[in-house]
Each structure stands twice: as structure tokens, then as C-alpha cells.
Amino acid sequence: MKKNIILFLLAAAIAIIPLFMWQDSEFGGADGLAEEKITAIQADYKPWATPVFEPPGGETESLLFSLQAALGAGVIGYVIGTIRTRSKREKS
């Protein structure tokens, strides 16, 4: 139990400390960086695909990304739990 609390506090510190260390930083995504590089290489590039859904703001985009990450973590946890339970049943 004590180990879990220490690990939780360590994980929280790893996530929170950088937010206070770099106050004025902007966390841009890979899409923006890729677009900058492409236009630097070929200024007249036109994308051949358009987004199906464009979120109204950065906050909505962050929310959707977080929900996607949480859903993925839930699926992975469920699969690992199911495999572990099956293996315990087979041993007994």
C-alpha cells in the first residue's frame, strides 16, 4: 500500500513539475510541426485530404485527446485483466 502511494506521488510530480518549470511554453502538436516543415520545403503544397471534424478550439481538442487516451488505457487494462484472470483459472 505504501509503495502504491509513493509511486502515485512520483507520477504526479513527473506530470506537474514541468508545468511550473516552463511557464511560457506552448505545447504544440506534431501536426503543426509537420505542417511547418512541409511548407518550408514546398511553399505551394496543398493538402490532399480535409478533416472530417474540426474541433471548435484547443480545449476541445485536448479534451478529445484525453478521452481517447483514457479509453485506450481502459481497453488495455481490460485485456490485461482478462488474460490474467484466464491464466489464474487455468492454474487452479
Side-chain angles (χ1 to χ4, degrees), residues 45-61:
Y45 174 77
K46 302 241 186 303
W48 54 272
T50 58
V52 176
F53 170 72
E54 187 91 22
E59 296 84 13
T60 307
E61 189 174 349

Side-chain angles (χ1 to χ4, degrees), residues 10 13 16 25 29 43 59 63 70 75 77-78 83 86 92:
L10 182 63
I16 293 171
S25 65
E59 296 84 13
L63 172 68
V75 169
Y78 175 78
I83 291 171
R86 285 184 187 167
S92 59

Side-chain angles (χ1 to χ4, degrees), residues 16-58:
I16 293 171
I17 289 173
L19 296 176
F20 292 105
M21 291 176 68
W22 294 282
Q23 293 283 331
D24 297 329
S25 65
E26 182 178 327
F27 297 104
D31 294 341
L33 292 174
E35 185 178 350
E36 288 176 16
K37 296 290 183 186
I38 290 170
T39 53
I41 294 169
Q42 186 176 0
D44 62 337
Y45 174 77
K46 302 241 186 303
W48 54 272
T50 58
V52 176
F53 170 72
E54 187 91 22

Side-chain angles (χ1 to χ4, degrees), residues 1 31 47 66 86 88 91:
M1 181 69 179
D31 294 341
S66 299
R86 285 184 187 167
K88 282 185 177 182
K91 287 182 182 178

Side-chain angles (χ1 to χ4, degrees), residues 5-20:
I5 293 172
I6 292 171
L7 287 174
F8 176 76
L9 292 175
L10 182 63
I14 289 172
I16 293 171
I17 289 173
L19 296 176
F20 292 105

